[in-house]
């Protein structure tokens, strides 16, 4: 091939040149503007797979379990680690109850001074145990690899969590902020103490008005009474513990009255005032034709319920849905309507306010999000207790609930009630009766509910929760050898 032929061959293979355009033709074409991609304008912050807001029982359980699955976890708490249960609830309450029992026994049997001296000793012991638990929680969280931030958390408009000047970007967020006491909604209601305040008292008043008839009101009234405080209990309903079996509620009222507590049923508090170092609590009762009555005492305490601790989280910025009481609505997987935001425990709508429930929810959620999908705990048979004197332990259906479950047919439900004075009370010379009530399905004799009132009731009912879950029947109780002498043997034979 000649050089001329080769150059011709290359020319044929070269791409054809674009024809030159006139200026008028180029200006007539539409101009395509290149728009840069939208950049993430959020401030740079820390990254985390899982952010847990609230270091109570449920939050701690979820954080530890998620970290065990390898997730990068940040736990934010504005107060002490352990939440209500450790710091202002279950643990200090039960310890004060133990101390109250000892104080009552000593003052009855040994002419002990009682009252203020016993209270000071109890508070020292309570604070020591709470401090130990706080340190233990922190140690276990650190060992699990959970990063603990102290401060107040809130969401911004794009879903990040802001703590002080720091911003956290989370793949998933859990709100486990618990609940706090409801303020008394009457003039002067801001003057009264709450159950949280009791654990900060260094001494006890000579007299107190306790407003409420639920768990906390009954427990506080019973505890303070045993420390020598004169107690008036103002109850809005016509009985104590309205969600418990009516026979147990009635028996408890009799026992508290016998111990010196004055109970005022159907009492609607209208006003609270304070003067000369004392409180005047005004209330009305239907059976007194609506006339205003007044109870005067050195202190007043309201225990009328609890509300979700979510007001400072800025949930409205994300559009997180809440119920009428302010609690967060979730689905069966504890997701809110904002899918990256979850909620468990006392701040969750429709939940049962019990520590083991929150713990089970937190662990299951962490498993589901970061590990294996385990089985959710059985919430059909949840044992619960009221640590008053005498104590109450229950599991399963009340008689009324069992009848409702049987479409109102009372013949499908039967009950057995036993009343007796325990050896402990006989030794102390106290006539207080223990009351055991069992609710059965009348057709197959399956146990539907167990309701106990005795000092040992909380310990007994824990085991019975398993028995009910496994379908225990009357025949099983009657053919099981009882342990003698115990109060539990009254359930058998």
């Amino acid at each position: 091939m000649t050089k001329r032929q080769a150059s011709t061959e290359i020319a044929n293979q070269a791409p054809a040149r674009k024809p030159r355009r006139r200026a008028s033709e180029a200006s007539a074409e539409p101009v395509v503007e290149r728009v840069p991609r939208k950049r993430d304008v959020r401030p740079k912050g820390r990254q985390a797979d899982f952010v847990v807001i609230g270091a109570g029982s449920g939050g701690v359980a979820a954080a530890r379990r998620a970290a065990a699955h390898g997730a990068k976890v940040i736990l934010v708490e504005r107060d002490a680690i352990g939440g209500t249960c450790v710091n202002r609830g279950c643990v200090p309450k039960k310890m004060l109850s133990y101390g109250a029992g000892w104080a009552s026994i000593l003052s009855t049997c040994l002419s002990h001074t009682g009252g203020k001296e016993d209270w000071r000793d109890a508070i020292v012991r309570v604070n020591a145990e709470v401090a130990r638990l706080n340190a233990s929680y922190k140690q276990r969280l650190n060992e699990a690899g959970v990063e603990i931030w102290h401060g107040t958390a809130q969401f911004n408009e794009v879903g990040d969590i802001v703590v002080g000047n720091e911003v956290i970007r989370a793949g998933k967020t859990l709100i486990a902020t618990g609940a706090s006491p409801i303020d008394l909604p009457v003039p002067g209601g801001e003057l009264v103490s709450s159950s949280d305040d009791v654990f900060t008292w260094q001494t006890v008043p000579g007299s107190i008005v306790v407003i409420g008839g639920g768990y906390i009101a009954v427990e506080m009234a019973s505890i303070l009474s045993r420390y020598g405080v004169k107690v008036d209990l103002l109850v809005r309903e016509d009985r104590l513990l309205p969600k418990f079996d009516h026979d147990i509620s009635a028996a408890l009222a009799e026992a508290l009255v016998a111990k010196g507590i004055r109970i005022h049923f159907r009492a609607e508090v209208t006003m609270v005032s304070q003067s000369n170092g004392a409180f005047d609590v005004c209330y009305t009762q239907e059976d007194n034709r609506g006339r205003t009555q007044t109870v005067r005492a050195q202190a007043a305490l309201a225990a009328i319920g609890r509300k979700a601790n979510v007001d400072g989280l800025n949930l409205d910025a994300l559009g997180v849905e809440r119920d009428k009481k302010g609690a967060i609505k979730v689905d069966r997987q504890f997701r809110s309507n904002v899918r990256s935001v979850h909620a468990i425990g006392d701040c969750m709508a429709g939940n049962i306010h019990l520590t083991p429930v929150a713990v089970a929810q937190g662990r299951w959620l962490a498993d589901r999000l970061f590990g294996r999908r385990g089985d959710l705990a059985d919430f059909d048979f949840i044992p619960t207790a009221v640590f008053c004197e005498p104590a109450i332990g229950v599991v399963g259906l009340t008689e009324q609930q069992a009848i409702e479950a049987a479409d109102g047919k009372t013949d499908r439900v039967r009950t057995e009630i036993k009343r007796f004075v325990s050896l402990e009370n006989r030794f102390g010379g106290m006539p207080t009766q223990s009351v055991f009530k069992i609710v059965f399905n009348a057709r197959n004799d399956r146990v539907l509910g167990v309701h106990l009132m005795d000092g040992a009731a909380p310990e007994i009912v824990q085991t019975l929760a398993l028995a009910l879950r496994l379908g225990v029947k009357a025949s099983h109780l009657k053919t099981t050898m009882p342990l003698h002498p115990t109060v539990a043997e009254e359930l058998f034979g």
Side-chain angles (χ1 to χ4, degrees), residues 121-339:
D121 177 72
I123 288 296
V124 170
R125 295 172 186 267
V126 166
N127 289 339
E129 176 61 12
V130 168
R132 186 192 70 80
L133 288 173
N134 290 155
S136 176
Y137 271 58
K138 288 180 182 178
Q139 179 181 351
R140 285 183 285 175
L141 286 166
N142 289 330
E143 290 174 351
V146 176
E147 189 174 342
I148 303 174
W149 287 26
H150 289 281
T152 300
Q154 65 176 5
F155 290 92
N156 61 18
E157 290 74 10
V158 293
D160 296 333
I161 296 108
V162 181
V163 183
N165 295 324
E166 298 287 340
V167 178
I168 311 172
R169 295 184 183 179
K172 301 291 182 182
T173 304
L174 171 62
I175 302 174
T177 48
S180 57
I182 295 175
D183 297 328
L184 184 64
V186 301
E190 70 281 358
L191 300 173
V192 306
S193 299
S194 71
S195 58
D196 288 356
D197 299 322
V198 173
F199 303 110
T200 67
W201 291 355
Q202 297 304 306
T203 186
V204 287
S207 58
I208 191 169
V209 178
V210 178
I211 304 166
Y215 275 84
I216 299 174
V218 166
E219 289 174 336
M220 287 300 170
S222 177
I223 288 171
L224 292 169
S225 175
R226 284 177 282 162
Y227 280 107
V229 182
K230 179 184 175 183
V231 179
D232 280 88
L233 185 59
L234 302 184
V235 184
R236 187 176 185 179
E237 292 80 14
D238 58 358
R239 66 185 180 99
L240 299 175
L241 304 174
K243 294 183 179 180
F244 283 64
D245 190 271
H246 62 277
D247 284 314
I248 297 296
S249 297
L252 177 62
E254 293 177 6
L256 295 181
V257 170
K259 293 179 181 296
I261 296 175
R262 298 198 304 173
I263 305 178
H264 311 261
F265 289 112
R266 292 182 287 276
E268 186 75 36
V269 175
T270 57
M271 185 179 69
V272 179
S273 61
Q274 185 180 17
S275 62
N276 299 324
F279 291 82
D280 290 313
V281 181
C282 301
Y283 67 97
T284 60
Q285 288 177 304
E286 292 181 6
D287 48 1
N288 281 327
R289 300 179 181 179
R291 291 180 297 181
T292 299
Q293 302 177 75
T294 302
V295 178
R296 188 174 180 83
Q298 293 181 10
L301 184 153
I304 56 174
R306 296 175 70 80
K307 61 182 178 181
N309 282 331
V310 296
D311 288 343
L313 295 176
N314 197 28
L315 295 178
D316 292 339
L318 290 182
V320 175
E321 294 181 358
R322 294 186 280 170
D323 66 7
K324 294 180 180 179
K325 296 182 179 180
I328 300 171
K329 294 182 178 180
V330 297
D331 61 15
R332 292 183 179 181
Q333 298 178 352
F334 307 112
R335 296 180 302 187
S336 71
N337 60 307
V338 178
R339 289 311 190 204

Side-chain angles (χ1 to χ4, degrees), residues 403 406-414 440-443:
I403 292 173
D407 298 324
K409 298 177 180 178
T410 57
D411 60 320
R412 293 187 180 181
V413 176
R414 74 175 184 87
F440 297 95
N441 181 322
R443 291 186 170 182

Side-chain angles (χ1 to χ4, degrees), residues 65-83:
R65 183 63 64 88
H69 288 308
K72 182 178 180 181
V73 182
I74 295 178
L75 176 63
V76 185
E77 174 56 57
R78 64 183 180 184
D79 201 347
I81 301 295

Side-chain angles (χ1 to χ4, degrees), residues 78-96:
R78 64 183 180 184
D79 201 347
I81 301 295
T84 296
C85 180
V86 168
N87 299 287
R88 297 174 298 278
C90 315
V91 173
K93 171 192 68 181
K94 191 169 184 183
M95 290 193 73
L96 282 181

